[in-house]
């Protein structure tokens, strides 16, 4: 999606290192979300934001933190990466909470 | 119990036939439902939204919502090989004014030429 950019697209790192994933949007949407997708589990919400500096936890938030200092950027940080956090991470945005979400291209993260 | 449940498949349908994908949901899920299509290695793409009881048609796609039975379905008419993908059902859960989406695990659909 042209309005959502995730970076990096791929990353390989070692257990115990910090990792930050970035989601950048050009749509000026209020809501931003971070999901992880794993086989057999589907998409699971990690954290979401409903405005600048306003964030809340999702169903799998342990080991993750987020920050949103500007409308367009939503950062996901793994403070000390573990192998169980190997996954594909998707960012999504929406105008209103009840409106459909649109997804970025994803980040494939491998933690060795 | 997951809030949104889907049969993981795989579901195989001959080209030109109708593909029927189903999803059930729990009491926690509110009235907004979405169907996403996800090709292998790609991100989910919204194909249908449905907010009220009944049917909603968009081209070859029809979404059906039955609140009494708590299920939502997606019908794909005249199935094409390009419809082969994983289909994700999602429903909104109200969370103190901020709704969140909860997703099913997806149904893998294969259209057989």
């Amino acid at each position: 999606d042209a309005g959502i950019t995730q970076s990096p697209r791929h990353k390989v790192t070692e257990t115990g290192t910090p990792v930050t994933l970035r989601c950048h949007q050009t749509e000026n949407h209020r809501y931003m979300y971070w999901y992880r997708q794993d086989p057999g589990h589907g998409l699971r919400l990690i954290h979401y934001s409903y405005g600048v500096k306003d964030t809340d936890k999702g169903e799998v938030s342990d080991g993750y933190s987020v920050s949103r200092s500007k409308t367009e950027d939503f950062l996901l940080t793994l403070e000390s990466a573990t192998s169980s956090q190997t996954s594909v991470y998707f960012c999504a945005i929406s105008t209103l909470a009840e409106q459909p979400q649109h997804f970025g291209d994803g980040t494939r993260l491998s933690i060795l | 119990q997951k809030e949104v449940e889907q049969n993981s498949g795989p579901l195989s349908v001959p080209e030109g036939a109708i593909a029927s994908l189903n999803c059930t949901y729990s009491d926690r899920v509110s009235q907004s439902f979405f169907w996403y299509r996800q090709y292998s290695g790609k991100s989910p793409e919204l194909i249908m939204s449905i907010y009220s009881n009944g049917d909603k048609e968009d081209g070859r796609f029809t979404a059906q919502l039955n609140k009494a039975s708590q299920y939502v379905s997606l019908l794909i008419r005249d199935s094409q090989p390009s419809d082969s993908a994983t289909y994700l059902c999602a429903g909104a859960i109200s969370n103190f004014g901020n709704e969140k989406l909860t997703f099913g695990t997806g149904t893998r659909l294969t259209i057989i030429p």
Side-chain angles (χ1 to χ4, degrees), chain B residues 21-32:
Chain B
L21 305 162
N22 299 305
C23 175
T24 58
Y25 61 90
S26 73
D27 291 340
R28 289 192 64 209
V29 182
S30 65
Q31 302 180 21
S32 305

Side-chain angles (χ1 to χ4, degrees), chain A residues 31 37 48 97-98 100-101 104, chain B residues 36 38 43 95 98-100:
Chain A
Y31 290 84
Q37 188 172 39
Y48 69 103
E98 65 271 22
Q101 298 174 14
Chain B
Y36 287 83
Q38 187 175 24
S43 61
N95 182 48
N98 288 314
E99 291 194 351
K100 302 182 294 185

Side-chain angles (χ1 to χ4, degrees), chain B residues 68-81:
Chain B
S69 300
Q70 293 184 264
Y71 80 79
V72 57
S73 61
L74 179 70
L75 301 178
I76 306 174
R77 289 181 300 281
D78 187 24
S79 297
Q80 302 296 310

Side-chain angles (χ1 to χ4, degrees), chain B residues 6-53:
Chain B
Q6 292 182 257
N7 187 326
S8 62
L11 176 65
S12 296
V13 173
E15 183 175 356
I18 296 175
S20 178
L21 305 162
N22 299 305
C23 175
T24 58
Y25 61 90
S26 73
D27 291 340
R28 289 192 64 209
V29 182
S30 65
Q31 302 180 21
S32 305
F33 295 90
F34 308 96
W35 282 100
Y36 287 83
R37 178 178 61 200
Q38 187 175 24
Y39 293 116
S40 181
K42 301 296 186 182
S43 61
E45 171 193 11
L46 179 72
I47 53 172
M48 290 288 283
S49 305
I50 187 164
Y51 301 96
S52 56
N53 232 13

Side-chain angles (χ1 to χ4, degrees), chain A residues 74-103:
Chain A
F74 192 32
L75 303 181
L76 177 70
T77 297
L78 292 66
E79 301 290 348
S80 177
T82 68
S83 59
S84 64
Q85 294 175 310
T86 292
S87 186
V88 179
Y89 290 84
F90 288 103
C91 173
I93 64 175
S94 67
T95 51
L96 299 171
E98 65 271 22
Q99 292 299 309
Q101 298 174 14
H102 300 277
F103 287 80

Side-chain angles (χ1 to χ4, degrees), chain A:
Chain A
D1 191 314
I4 310 170
T5 304
Q6 290 187 233
S7 59
R9 293 294 315 281
H10 302 272
K11 186 173 183 66
V12 180
T13 190
E14 294 182 347
T15 300
T17 60
V19 177
T20 296
L21 308 183
R22 180 184 184 231
C23 178
H24 177 79
Q25 60 146 328
T26 58
E27 307 295 323
N28 200 36
H29 284 0
R30 178 182 174 190
Y31 290 84
M32 299 185 74
Y33 309 82
W34 277 109
Y35 293 90
R36 60 179 290 174
Q37 188 172 39
D38 305 288
H41 291 280
L43 280 163
R44 292 181 292 174
L45 182 65
I46 304 171
H47 282 280
Y48 69 103
S49 170
Y50 46 96
V52 173
K53 291 185 169 49
D54 292 323
T55 64
D56 201 357
K57 296 178 180 180
E59 63 179 298
V60 289
S61 59
D62 287 348
Y64 302 94
S65 63
V66 291
S67 65
R68 190 170 180 200
S69 58
K70 299 185 289 185
T71 298
E72 57 267 35
D73 289 326
F74 192 32
L75 303 181
L76 177 70
T77 297
L78 292 66
E79 301 290 348
S80 177
T82 68
S83 59
S84 64
Q85 294 175 310
T86 292
S87 186
V88 179
Y89 290 84
F90 288 103
C91 173
I93 64 175
S94 67
T95 51
L96 299 171
E98 65 271 22
Q99 292 299 309
Q101 298 174 14
H102 300 277
F103 287 80
D105 289 336
T107 294
R108 188 171 296 275
L109 177 63
S110 296
I111 300 164
L112 307 177

